[in-house]
């Protein structure tokens, strides 16, 4: 009965900011490493940011300095703060528990939340 629901996406101009949220239910988030993935049309899903269960963060080179991942285990929430959005950030964003090596544990990805960066 685990459920993950992403929100916070939208249409934003280049240079704008967004805060994405991932709400988990049916599982204690504190037990897992978590990650954000994104998938643009016609491209494979890629890992963009992750955070361990003790707060260590990692980022893809393409988003370093602009993306910040955080977690609130008491609220079972995962967040992604995005600054200085670029058109190439346009994608559907998903959250998932992950392995130590970054492999997602989620099998049903759903719709995610869509980020569209355009002037």
């Amino acid at each position: 009965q685990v459920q993950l629901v992403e929100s916070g996406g939208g249409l934003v101009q280049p240079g704008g900011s967004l805060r994405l949220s991932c709400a988990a239910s049916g599982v204690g988030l504190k037990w897992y490493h978590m990650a954000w993935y994104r998938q643009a049309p016609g491209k494979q899903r890629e890992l963009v940011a992750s955070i361990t269960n003790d707060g260590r963060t990692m980022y893809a080179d393409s988003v370093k300095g602009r993306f910040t991942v955080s977690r609130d285990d008491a609220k079972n929430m995962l967040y992604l703060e995005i600054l200085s959005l670029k058109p190439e950030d346009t994608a559907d964003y998903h959250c998932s528990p992950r392995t130590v090596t970054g492999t997602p544990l989620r099998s049903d990805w759903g719709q995610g939340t869509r980020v569209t960066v355009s002037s």
Side-chain angles (χ1 to χ4, degrees):
Q1 299 299 320
V2 177
Q3 187 175 33
L4 298 168
V5 180
E6 301 92 345
S7 63
L11 175 62
V12 185
Q13 294 183 336
S17 302
L18 283 174
R19 178 178 160 95
L20 308 185
S21 298
C22 170
S25 61
V27 64
L29 209 62
K30 65 180 181 180
W31 299 111
Y32 298 95
H33 301 332
M34 297 295 295
W36 285 96
Y37 303 81
R38 69 183 181 187
Q39 186 170 28
K43 300 182 67 176
Q44 294 190 103
R45 183 178 293 108
E46 64 172 334
L47 175 67
V48 296
S50 64
I51 183 168
T52 64
N53 59 3
D54 58 355
R56 291 170 292 164
T57 59
M58 293 166 282
Y59 301 94
D61 288 341
S62 60
V63 307
K64 282 183 178 178
R66 300 188 299 115
F67 286 28
T68 302
V69 61
S70 61
R71 62 193 298 160
D72 187 339
D73 292 341
K75 297 180 179 179
N76 256 10
M77 295 289 291
L78 181 74
Y79 304 100
L80 186 66
E81 188 80 27
I82 309 176
L83 305 178
S84 302
L85 278 158
K86 303 176 180 180
E88 51 263 43
D89 295 322
T90 297
D92 291 334
Y93 286 73
H94 305 261
C95 63
S96 176
R98 67 161 181 86
T99 67
V100 173
T101 58
T103 302
L105 297 174
R106 186 174 181 175
S107 58
D108 55 333
W109 289 95
Q111 297 180 1
T113 186
R114 178 163 293 180
V115 172
T116 303
V117 184
S118 176
S119 59

